[in-house]
Amino acid sequence: MSKMSKKRQNEDQGKELKRKKLLSEVARGKLQFLMPDHPDFKSLEELPWALNILHHHGYFYRDWVKVKGQTVQTPVSRTLIGEPETTYKYLGLRLFAIPWCFGDHQVESEVELACGIIGKLNDHFKAVSRKLLLERAAEKTEPESCISQGAAQSPLHHSPNEETKSCSEQKPTTCSPSIEEGTDFNVVLINYMDPKDPDLRLKAEPYYGMGPLAVSWHMDSNLVQGSTVAVYNHTCSSDGDSSSDSSDWMVGLKVSWDIETPGVVVPLQTGESYFMLGDLNDTHQHCVVAGGQARFSTTHRVADCCQGTLPYIQRRCKEALSNLGETENGEYKLTSLAADHLELTETIHNEVEFEWLRQFWMQGSRHAVERKSWVPAMEHLEADWHKMEHMTKLAVEEANVLDDEEGSAIAEVLLPHLEERQKLRQDCLDKFSPKILETMHADFLPIHRPKWEDDDLSRPLPFDLSNIISNMRLVTKHGKKSCISDSESSDSDYHS
Ligand SMILES: O=C(O)CCC(=O)C(=O)O
Ligand SMILES: [Fe+2]
């Protein structure tokens, strides 16, 4: 059979199945329709509008992430909407949420309105996820239903007319969150992909032959353990496009590292949602198989924000700066030279520089413009970081002037942090090869900030720390010993 006719036959079979399912649902009186006066009617219209507005204004872009040490671009375009001052990190990239609510100020733009709608959708998914988990908890208390739950066969698929069965039958983790906590979605990562985009080269699903992958097998990272992920699926109809390929988008699911249990793949219709309830994401991997049409998916998550919110990093900076005092003539001085104080400041120095400042600016000028509420905060963090540069400088000076024992103790603390700073700065400069940079639109070019010339006198320290690192190596006990033995051996060479 030719490929085309086989495909057509599959499509026909698919349609026949859908028709049968539809008829059986009709027979059960389960199909519902909404009149314009129904409260959900408006939200049905609002949501595609919001997604299209974000897309129209260019808010989706293909992220540059790190996979096995390589910088690669995701096939799907993404944007993050969420609680104000929240971030979500995946594959080495920190995403800064565009807020879905605006404090006291009125909604000012279509984009803000769209973000507000995503926030409403998020509230809806919180409520639905809680209901599903409660139902599952009730089912679990009935012995029979427990036995009938297979891990990999667990239906993760949910549509308005479908009864939801429970997900995985994994043992709960010792510290699983409450239903409330595990569904308290604080961010929505929205994906968009048009499979007809000629720039895309999708990899085939490697294990089962499920089809071209928009998102490869993975577990969602950086989430509160045991928390639910809810996903809304919206495909863009391509009416009038006679060449349109109507193959479905699908979500695949498999048990991680398991070759015995069959994987599952579930076709998704527009307007449907699916849920990875409880610890399903911790025990299974999922992937997304591209269909024929452009598609949005909103993925609602409980990001683990212990170290990912603006108030968190502001607190950390304050902690670091508490060791910075002033002399009588108004110059900076370190309040304490104790190792644990220096250690803390240097750790936070690297954290704010590489987890926040560089992560934010490396995503380019357009990213910053879109996140205007973040910019003053980033500038404030940069001012704190600048003070930490002073603190490092003061510590380096102390290491050089104090007696051997004290000086080398300081150098020992500073060295690993300086080495790490130097390496991470270089990693940022090297993240994009010249070849990649050539192809990037100016709006997305990385901004290396903070960056300065080594002889810039307004800066306490040079950007390139090589000389300071060599100096600190010499000041450490180990460095001193090797220095003495070097000079001893060269002396003896000289005399012979
Ligand atoms: O688009 C989907 O259905 C899920 C996407 C996904 O797995 C992700 O963004 O992590
Ligand atoms: Fe995912």
Side-chain angles (χ1 to χ4, degrees):
M1 199 186 314
S2 76
K3 254 190 174 167
M4 273 311 280
S5 56
K6 185 149 185 241
K7 192 167 163 236
R8 186 146 314 132
Q9 196 193 21
N10 283 344
E11 277 176 16
D12 287 350
Q13 280 172 351
K15 276 192 191 144
E16 184 53 24
L17 273 174
K18 280 183 203 161
R19 198 178 70 87
K20 281 202 178 127
K21 171 137 186 267
L22 178 74
L23 289 178
S24 81
E25 296 289 296
V26 171
R28 293 165 66 194
K30 291 211 79 182
L31 290 195
Q32 52 167 323
F33 63 93
L34 303 180
M35 299 288 280
D37 59 350
H38 189 286
D40 287 348
F41 186 89
K42 197 156 152 274
S43 56
L44 286 179
E45 286 179 335
E46 270 181 343
L47 192 54
W49 177 85
L51 295 169
N52 281 306
I53 283 293
L54 291 170
H55 184 248
H56 172 77
H57 287 279
Y59 275 66
F60 289 90
Y61 26 87
R62 294 175 59 197
D63 290 332
W64 290 98
V65 293
K66 285 264 179 188
V67 177
K68 295 184 195 138
Q70 299 275 328
T71 301
V72 295
Q73 201 173 20
T74 57
V76 290
S77 309
R78 299 191 144 127
T79 199
L80 186 75
I81 316 283
E83 287 296 345
E85 308 189 331
T86 302
T87 69
Y88 176 63
K89 199 173 170 194
Y90 84 108
L91 298 176
L93 182 73
R94 185 175 297 283
L95 300 179
F96 293 77
I98 300 172
W100 55 38
C101 59
F102 316 97
D104 300 336
H105 95 80
Q106 291 286 307
V107 170
E108 277 171 4
S109 64
E110 281 186 333
V111 166
E112 286 187 356
L113 198 58
C115 292
I117 291 169
I118 300 300
K120 270 198 335 200
L121 178 70
N122 194 62
D123 288 339
H124 167 76
F125 275 124
K126 279 186 194 177
V128 176
S129 304
R130 284 168 190 172
K131 187 164 165 276
L132 293 174
L133 283 162
L134 283 170
E135 280 171 13
R136 184 176 77 155
E139 268 176 36
K140 271 192 176 169
T141 55
E142 294 165 29
E144 248 176 67
S145 67
C146 269
I147 292 163
S148 68
Q149 293 159 7
Q153 289 82 8
S154 57
L156 79 168
H157 186 237
H158 176 258
S159 74
N161 303 316
E162 223 175 284
E163 251 172 62
T164 306
K165 291 160 219 130
S166 59
C167 279
S168 80
E169 180 54 13
Q170 302 289 326
K171 285 185 206 87
T173 50
T174 42
C175 55
S176 51
S178 69
I179 288 184
E180 195 83 2
E181 290 160 342
T183 53
D184 198 11
F185 305 131
N186 49 9
V187 291
V188 183
L189 182 60
I190 312 182
N191 299 313
Y192 171 80
M193 199 185 100
D194 181 354
K196 297 198 182 73
D197 179 343
D199 292 342
L200 292 176
R201 271 178 242 331
L202 301 184
K203 285 196 202 122
E205 193 289 310
Y207 307 126
Y208 311 92
M210 287 173 175
L213 287 179
V215 185
S216 307
W217 289 108
H218 68 288
M219 292 152 110
D220 290 350
S221 57
N222 217 0
L223 304 182
V224 166
Q225 214 197 345
S227 64
T228 292
V229 180
V231 182
Y232 179 78
N233 175 69
H234 173 83
T235 41
C236 311
S237 72
S238 50
D239 288 347
D241 177 359
S242 57
S243 67
S244 85
D245 170 357
S246 61
S247 63
D248 286 331
W249 281 76
M250 300 192 283
V251 59
L253 186 76
K254 71 182 184 69
V255 182
S256 308
W257 312 117
D258 182 325
I259 48 171
E260 308 273 303
T261 325
V264 291
V265 67
V266 186
L268 300 164
Q269 303 306 309
T270 194
E272 284 185 336
S273 31
Y274 67 88
F275 298 79
M276 293 187 277
L277 291 178
D279 65 359
L280 192 72
N281 175 62
D282 303 314
T283 51
H284 294 64
Q285 291 178 309
H286 58 284
C287 70
V288 182
V289 182
Q293 293 166 341
R295 173 216 194 219
F296 291 100
S297 65
T298 64
T299 67
H300 303 253
R301 307 167 186 235
V302 190
D304 178 355
C305 284
C306 291
Q307 304 186 348
T309 63
L310 182 61
Y312 159 81
I313 190 63
Q314 286 170 333
R315 250 189 340 265
R316 289 282 279 173
C317 288
K318 208 166 154 202
E319 213 178 335
L321 296 181
S322 67
N323 196 30
L324 183 65
E326 265 188 28
T327 63
E328 278 155 17
N329 7 342
E331 284 171 7
Y332 285 132
K333 70 162 198 204
L334 293 176
T335 312
S336 153
L337 292 175
D340 51 350
H341 286 125
L342 298 179
E343 177 79 45
L344 183 72
T345 311
E346 294 307 312
T347 305
I348 297 173
H349 189 157
N350 283 354
E351 186 177 5
V352 67
E353 177 168 337
F354 299 104
E355 289 295 332
W356 293 84
L357 300 174
R358 297 197 189 283
Q359 285 276 3
F360 185 82
W361 294 110
M362 288 272 287
Q363 297 180 58
S365 59
R366 176 178 200 123
H367 169 269
V369 168
E370 289 172 358
R371 283 153 191 79
K372 62 179 188 313
S373 62
W374 280 96
V375 172
M378 296 321 280
E379 283 167 350
H380 202 276
L381 289 178
E382 190 170 324
D384 285 352
W385 163 89
H386 184 78
K387 288 183 185 158
M388 290 176 221
E389 287 279 294
H390 278 286
M391 295 174 85
T392 305
K393 183 184 184 192
L394 288 167
V396 166
E397 285 168 357
E398 295 289 355
N400 276 300
V401 298
L402 287 173
D403 67 32
D404 278 6
E405 197 71 23
E406 283 176 304
S408 78
I410 294 176
E412 304 267 1
V413 173
L414 295 183
L415 247 183
H417 297 285
L418 294 172
E419 284 165 348
E420 190 184 10
R421 197 167 304 157
Q422 177 80 343
K423 179 188 174 300
L424 294 177
R425 281 185 187 165
Q426 197 57 46
D427 286 353
C428 286
L429 295 176
D430 295 342
K431 177 167 177 183
F432 299 99
S433 68
K435 219 169 123 203
I436 296 181
L437 290 172
E438 253 173 47
T439 64
M440 281 168 91
H441 186 283
D443 288 357
F444 300 105
L445 284 175
I447 298 170
H448 296 289
R449 177 175 170 178
K451 172 99 175 65
W452 64 100
E453 295 303 320
D454 289 337
D455 57 3
D456 180 344
L457 294 178
S458 69
R459 303 282 181 165
L461 293 168
F463 180 84
D464 177 353
L465 295 168
S466 334
N467 289 342
I468 295 190
I469 289 172
S470 313
N471 169 238
M472 285 299 97
R473 283 191 187 136
L474 287 176
V475 176
T476 59
K477 266 193 202 144
H478 177 75
K480 278 194 178 133
K481 268 192 212 134
S482 72
C483 191
I484 292 164
S485 62
D486 279 357
S487 62
E488 274 166 358
S489 65
S490 59
D491 275 0
S492 56
D493 283 353
Y494 180 79
H495 288 295
S496 64

